[in-house]
Amino acid sequence: MTEPALTPDLIAAHGLSPDEYDSILEIIGRAPTFTELGIFSAMWNEHCSYKSSKKWLRTLPTTGPQVICGPGENAGVVDIGDGQAVVFKMESHNHPSYIEPYQGAATGVGGILRDVFTMGARPIAAMNSLSFGEPSHPKTPQLVNGVVAGVGGYGNCFGVPTVGGEVRFHAAYNGNCLVNAFAAGLADADKIFYSAASGLGMPVVYLGAKTGRDGVGGATMASAEFDENIEEKRPTVQVGDPFTEKRLMEATLELMATGAVISIQDMGAAGLTCSAVEMGDKGGLGIKLNLEDVPVREEHMTAYEMMLSESQERMLMVLKPELEAEAKAVFDKWDLDFAIVGETIAEDRFLIMLNGEIKADLPLSKLASTAPEYDRPWEPTPAAAPLEDVPQIDPIDGLRALISTPNYGAKSWVYEQYDSMVMGDTVRIPGAGAGIVRVHGTGKMLAFTSDVTPRYVRANPVEGGKQAVAEAYRNLTAVGATPLATTDNMNFGNPEKPSIMGQFVGAIQGISAAVEALDMPIVSGNVSLYNETDGAAILPTPTIGAVGLIRDEAALIARDVREGHVLLQVGEAEGHLGQSALLAEVFNREDGDAPAVDLAAEKANGDFIRANAEWIDACTDIADGGLALAAFEMAETAGVGVLLDSADTPTLFGEDQARYLIATSFDKAEALMIAAGQAGVTIASVGRFTGDTVKMGGSEAPLAELSQVFRTSFAASVA
């Protein structure tokens, strides 16, 4: 076929600015071929190069004695003792999921699972963080149903338990939903596989499923805003096959055991281009590819299409040549493609051949290491205006209003579509704080959580960034886990707008301070920008995924709430209502400042909870919805009524941070009071579990009635 002329419109359609195109001309000393233009577009788009965010990502704390591998590989790796490591990462699949909800979400799950097993880890847990538009928006039910079905369809077929996550709704996501997928796996700490190629003349091997035209241009599409022509982007969405992925995982792990693998890389965004370039660049080598050897499922594919296809369930590997036969035998056994498609070379070249014709010949290092890096102008988010008066509300009316919304109603309609028990090691399923999975064959457990409150981040990006980390820290602590490390998924609007870039910078500053203070370094992550439609940005949503270790059964804090248990609140409560759930859902207001996060108090109160776990029968953090919602959720889960002493609106619905709610017996409560006094931690009795009603001050309603509202409101709103 005749390649198209490189017009300014074609260059712009590839997401390259005139200045970036001029840089390409300077680097290669000539006009690029069409295939070369596609390769530069794939490597230099926002999704792959992080050109707007690199400057700030470098400021994140990423090291610690527990960190084996930080950002830069397919996933982060953290030591959990006994020669074992947990491997985990979170990534977004926002743009594809808005265009084609089922496949967009499904392939998001598939991609993050590949990131984990590419490192040599067997996946043991998945989570997801989903943000949708208003329930009343005509597109929202379609997106919710499609995304949830896609997450469940892929994860369930692959066979990994989904143990946690979050779902939110807000008008800011009407034109751009967020689908953030998390996966974690286990590996021997001394058997981690990395992506840097090494050795000259080593075979480059293509593994997995065949290449088709699905997903061509996907990474570039994910680096642009949406407009009214959104449907035209449907062909850029990949199509997933979880059964092939399962075979690919088993084959990959079996292959690794043979000793044949020098380096290995998942083919994700930008497909063959990105995986080959990253392997070569990390190893300081060039790569030559012969595209006629690439297994394809469609006829007459061009070099451009093969290099930019994002067909799923594919890997790229550098192989020890003497073990080629053993390696091929493994993939033949699993009925997957195994094809030598190139070799490592000494020169700094990315040489792409098709049937003896050179389709691209580029300096490989310039594609990766010297991708554009921008110091975008940014403006700090203005300080929020003081909160105007919030009326007192009948406590039961306020609680009922919250649990009637899909934001604060039970999410069982969602997580019941996910297999949370496959593999047989799940200790706690979604819906009750952090998810927990046993480390098979040991007494250890791993806890997982995902957190952010976007309203807080918009009002105050620094405090909102801190809060996302602090809430993750509290969710892990509340089950008895020692927080280990975090992964982030930075979802924002257009970074070319100084106000949006200011949100990003502020959130990074807050996250940095929090992970440093709470010893939860960022070990992996993803940036998703340009989440806008027709110029309207999403709420800034820097999602934090976190992993914690429960050393043994004795350290686990169960959910054992019983009649007669005392309710204790740990932490200072001033009744902060700015940006609260009550304000948003009941009064239709989103004003005031985000709650301040005292990191020293977070650390002290968390240490206190874990140190005194033996005295605690049940624990939850107090976050959205304040004391009232936290106490109700504990009561509802246990099927026991609850009495809270206060009827005061700020006391019940305030969202002050660094707080926990503990349920325990009277004797244990006394012991906790003494221990808190010795530790200098604030603790107070706020009520008790009794009867079959929810009572706050003089306001009361049957628990069964409120439970019915809580359990049905989500499905009634959006299913």
Side-chain angles (χ1 to χ4, degrees):
M1 70 168 262
T2 306
E3 295 196 336
L6 302 191
T7 64
D9 285 349
L10 184 66
I11 292 163
H14 280 75
L16 294 164
S17 70
D19 286 348
E20 288 170 347
Y21 185 70
D22 288 344
S23 295
I24 292 170
L25 297 179
E26 188 176 331
I27 288 168
I28 63 176
R30 56 175 172 80
T33 66
F34 181 54
T35 301
E36 289 173 336
L37 181 75
I39 288 170
F40 270 107
S41 165
M43 292 306 302
W44 285 15
N45 65 61
E46 192 72 57
H47 196 73
C48 292
S49 74
Y50 294 170
K51 57 192 177 188
S52 298
S53 58
K54 277 190 287 196
K55 170 184 166 70
W56 295 101
L57 295 175
R58 291 192 192 102
T59 66
L60 288 166
T62 59
T63 58
Q66 70 273 46
V67 178
I68 295 173
C69 175
E73 281 290 341
N74 287 292
V77 186
V78 175
D79 191 348
I80 61 168
D82 307 309
Q84 293 179 299
V86 59
V87 178
F88 64 96
K89 189 182 183 184
M90 181 181 279
E91 273 197 345
S92 61
H93 234 225
N94 305 338
H95 290 66
S97 298
Y98 188 75
I99 300 166
E100 216 306 305
Y102 185 97
Q103 289 297 349
T107 52
V109 174
I112 200 68
L113 289 167
R114 278 197 307 283
D115 280 339
V116 167
F117 69 74
T118 302
M119 300 286 293
R122 182 173 290 277
I124 60 162
M127 291 192 298
N128 52 81
S129 176
L130 313 176
S131 304
F132 299 105
E134 297 169 291
S136 59
H137 189 276
K139 198 167 173 71
T140 298
Q142 175 211 350
L143 289 170
V144 172
N145 280 272
V147 165
V148 170
V151 169
Y154 202 103
N156 296 353
C157 292
F158 181 86
V160 63
T162 299
V163 298
E166 51 186 349
V167 186
R168 71 178 56 81
F169 298 85
H170 191 282
Y173 304 105
N174 280 347
N176 198 128
C177 62
L178 302 183
V179 176
N180 295 174
F182 169 100
L186 281 175
D188 291 340
D190 61 351
K191 294 187 176 81
I192 305 297
F193 287 80
Y194 299 100
S195 57
S198 65
L200 292 177
M202 296 294 130
V204 175
V205 184
Y206 175 113
L207 307 168
K210 289 180 168 48
T211 293
R213 290 185 171 92
D214 53 317
V216 173
T220 302
M221 173 274 295
S223 303
E225 296 180 30
F226 286 153
D227 56 27
E228 70 277 1
N229 300 316
I230 183 68
E231 288 298 317
E232 295 174 8
K233 298 184 186 288
R234 192 175 296 276
T236 62
V237 178
Q238 312 90 333
V239 178
D241 178 356
F243 298 107
T244 298
E245 176 115 335
K246 177 73 170 174
R247 287 185 289 127
L248 179 62
M249 178 190 72
E250 297 296 349
T252 301
L253 295 177
E254 190 172 328
L255 178 67
M256 289 168 168
T258 67
V261 178
I262 296 174
S263 63
I264 190 162
Q265 177 76 26
D266 155 49
M267 282 196 228
L272 187 55
T273 292
C274 192
S275 55
V277 169
E278 287 189 0
M279 288 175 78
D281 186 60
K282 287 175 183 174
L285 296 169
I287 300 281
K288 177 186 177 184
L289 296 178
N290 299 305
L291 296 187
E292 65 272 16
D293 297 325
V294 170
V296 294
R297 62 170 183 262
E298 299 185 49
E299 294 182 352
H300 310 302
M301 288 189 70
T302 64
Y304 178 96
E305 290 169 332
M306 282 192 270
M307 293 306 295
L308 269 68
S309 166
E310 293 181 12
S311 296
Q312 297 293 287
E313 294 84 43
R314 301 181 301 159
M315 319 273 274
L316 202 64
M317 175 183 76
V318 176
L319 172 76
K320 292 178 182 175
E322 66 273 18
L323 293 174
E324 179 190 330
E326 290 91 330
K328 186 175 185 304
V330 170
F331 274 73
D332 287 347
K333 182 181 90 173
W334 288 99
D335 194 24
L336 291 164
D337 278 297
F338 177 101
I340 295 174
V341 296
E343 63 179 339
T344 59
I345 56 179
E347 301 88 357
D348 180 21
R349 294 174 76 189
F350 192 40
L351 182 60
I352 308 302
M353 308 289 294
L354 180 60
N355 298 320
E357 185 181 346
I358 295 175
K359 293 296 183 178
D361 189 356
L362 298 168
L364 187 144
S365 62
K366 301 292 185 185
L367 288 166
S369 309
T370 58
E373 184 172 332
Y374 297 123
D375 186 2
R376 301 274 191 203
W378 62 279
E379 10 184 271
T381 300
L387 181 66
E388 296 180 9
D389 286 345
V390 179
Q392 289 283 329
I393 188 170
D394 177 87
I396 293 295
D397 288 349
L399 176 64
R400 185 182 280 110
L402 283 179
I403 63 176
S404 299
T405 70
N407 275 321
Y408 300 106
K411 306 300 190 298
S412 47
W413 181 88
V414 174
Y415 61 74
E416 285 172 0
Q417 296 185 54
Y418 306 150
D419 189 339
S420 299
M421 301 304 292
V422 65
M423 300 180 77
D425 282 317
T426 303
V427 177
R428 185 171 296 174
I429 64 170
I436 305 172
V437 173
R438 290 183 193 86
V439 178
H440 195 77
T442 77
K444 298 181 295 194
M445 291 167 258
L446 287 166
F448 304 97
T449 188
S450 164
D451 294 285
V452 65
T453 308
R455 288 190 310 275
Y456 294 175
V457 187
R458 180 178 60 183
N460 189 328
V462 176
E463 292 302 312
K466 285 183 194 173
Q467 194 276 337
V469 176
E471 188 170 346
Y473 173 86
R474 291 197 302 272
N475 280 342
L476 297 176
T477 294
V479 299
T482 301
L484 290 176
T486 48
T487 180
D488 62 350
N489 208 146
M490 306 294 289
N491 305 276
F492 290 80
N494 185 343
E496 297 166 45
K497 299 176 180 176
S499 60
I500 300 292
M501 196 65 208
Q503 292 176 340
F504 181 87
V505 172
I508 287 280
Q509 290 170 336
I511 291 167
S512 292
V515 299
E516 183 80 35
L518 302 175
D519 192 21
M520 298 169 70
I522 298 276
V523 297
S524 58
N526 173 239
V527 177
S528 174
L529 304 177
Y530 296 95
N531 289 289
E532 301 199 359
T533 299
D534 295 327
I538 62 163
L539 290 180
T541 312
T543 309
I544 298 293
V547 178
L549 177 66
I550 302 171
R551 62 182 183 276
D552 53 40
E553 198 82 33
L556 173 68
I557 301 176
R559 296 274 287 198
D560 186 17
V561 174
R562 298 182 184 180
E563 173 78 32
H565 270 174
V566 179
L567 268 174
L568 302 176
Q569 177 176 264
V570 172
E572 297 280 355
E574 296 179 2
H576 183 96
L577 287 171
Q579 300 297 331
S580 65
L582 183 82
L583 211 60
E585 300 288 358
V586 179
F587 296 106
N588 200 28
R589 291 167 51 185
E590 295 185 6
D591 55 322
D593 201 355
V597 180
D598 181 337
L599 293 169
E602 292 282 4
K603 181 77 166 60
N605 294 352
D607 288 347
F608 171 79
I609 295 291
R610 289 191 302 278
N612 294 280
E614 61 185 302
W615 306 111
I616 300 172
D617 290 307
C619 183
T620 185
D621 88 307
I622 301 177
D624 282 29
L627 171 63
L629 187 58
F632 167 75
E633 288 181 347
M634 288 179 91
E636 200 276 340
T637 302
V640 181
V642 63
L643 166 65
L644 294 178
D645 300 327
S646 178
D648 177 60
T649 297
T651 301
L652 289 171
F653 296 100
E655 296 180 6
D656 308 275
Q657 300 297 294
R659 291 189 298 157
Y660 299 84
L661 191 59
I662 291 170
T664 195
S665 67
F666 184 80
D667 290 346
K668 291 177 182 175
E670 281 194 319
L672 283 167
M673 293 277 198
I674 294 165
Q678 293 169 341
V681 166
T682 301
I683 191 167
S685 173
V686 292
R688 65 183 188 276
F689 288 100
T690 185
D692 58 3
T693 66
V694 177
K695 188 173 183 180
M696 294 180 271
S699 184
E700 188 173 8
L703 175 63
E705 177 199 313
L706 295 174
S707 179
Q708 174 70 11
V709 173
F710 181 61
R711 292 285 166 186
T712 58
S713 56
F714 185 97
S717 298
V718 293

